[in-house]
């Protein structure tokens, strides 16, 4: 088992849990992300690569389920700090199928990550979101208690 210890949370008929070593569940979540982020041409790495990530200590994958089907989730990276003896978590993607939005699932996913953080020496959880044409995500993060720390430009260098 990777960094994700077995924790389950069942709230309001939704099951929140880590995807730990189950590549099929990971692909199911990626399918949800493809739909939510409208990335029809998304292509993901092969099973062995994703299995390697799930088994590592760097990636956390949390799924929200209804009737044993994944309806949303998040992926996050654990980033050890050199400034303090703790780590941070960077939320990379968070998405919930449209028909399940406004039911508190996003908040449940964040709360699940917070509970995990309390027992795993995590100092801070942070997330980036695009500022243009992304009002729903911005409102969500503000509503659940994230605060804008600073506005930054993101640069990318491809090799």
């Amino acid at each position: 088992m990777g960094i994700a210890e077995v924790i389950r949370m069942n709230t309001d008929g939704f099951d929140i849990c880590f995807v730990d070593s189950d590549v099929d569940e990971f692909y199911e979540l990626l399918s949800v992300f493809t739909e939510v982020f409208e990335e029809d041409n998304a292509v993901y790495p092969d099973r062995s690569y994703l299995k390697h990530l799930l088994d590592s200590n760097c990636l956390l994958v949390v799924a929200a389920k209804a009737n044993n089907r994944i309806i949303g989730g998040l992926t996050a990276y654990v980033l050890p700090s050199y400034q303090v003896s703790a780590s941070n978590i960077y939320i990379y993607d968070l998405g919930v199928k449209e028909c399940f939005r406004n039911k508190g699932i996003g908040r449940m996913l964040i709360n699940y990550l917070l509970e995990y953080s309390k027992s795993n020496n995590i100092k801070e959880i942070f997330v980036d979101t695009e500022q243009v044409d992304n009002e729903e995500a911005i409102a969500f993060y503000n509503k659940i208690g994230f605060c804008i720390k600073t506005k930054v430009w993101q640069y990318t260098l491809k090799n």
Side-chain angles (χ1 to χ4, degrees):
M1 200 174 334
I3 192 171
E5 59 196 48
V6 179
I7 303 172
R8 294 191 95 72
M9 180 186 298
N10 190 298
T11 310
D12 298 328
F14 301 109
D15 189 30
I16 310 294
C17 60
F18 280 112
V19 173
D20 192 30
S21 298
D22 189 335
V23 177
D24 291 332
E25 280 194 338
F26 194 7
Y27 273 116
E28 190 176 347
L29 176 59
L30 295 175
S31 175
V32 170
F33 286 166
T34 298
E35 176 186 326
V36 168
F37 303 132
E38 299 174 357
E39 297 175 336
D40 297 332
N41 298 322
V43 177
Y44 297 105
D46 65 35
R47 297 176 66 77
S48 64
Y49 181 82
L50 293 180
K51 173 84 167 97
H52 173 73
L53 281 178
L54 287 172
D55 290 341
S56 76
N57 292 336
C58 66
L59 180 69
L60 300 174
V61 180
V62 181
K65 297 179 181 181
N67 299 319
N68 289 322
R69 299 296 304 167
I70 294 179
I71 56 159
L74 65 80
T75 57
Y77 291 97
V78 177
L79 305 171
S81 176
Y82 63 86
Q83 296 171 321
V84 296
S85 299
S87 295
N88 296 312
I89 290 179
Y90 170 64
I91 298 172
Y92 189 77
D93 276 327
L94 188 154
V96 176
K97 286 186 172 191
E98 190 169 355
C99 62
F100 289 97
R101 291 186 193 152
N102 299 311
K103 297 180 185 308
I105 297 167
R107 180 181 295 275
M108 288 181 233
L109 290 163
I110 297 295
N111 287 341
Y112 187 86
L113 205 55
L114 283 169
E115 286 303 312
Y116 171 82
S117 297
K118 290 175 185 175
S119 59
N120 286 280
N121 197 29
I122 305 297
K123 180 182 177 202
E124 185 174 73
I125 298 173
F126 65 101
V127 63
D128 297 338
T129 190
E130 294 180 17
Q131 297 175 38
V132 177
D133 194 30
N134 205 18
E135 294 78 17
E136 191 176 353
I138 293 167
F140 168 74
Y141 291 120
N142 284 324
K143 180 180 176 182
I144 63 170
F146 281 83
C147 59
I148 296 174
K149 190 169 183 179
T150 187
K151 292 185 178 186
V152 298
W153 290 96
Q154 183 183 65
Y155 294 89
T156 302
L157 180 62
K158 294 184 180 187
N159 58 2

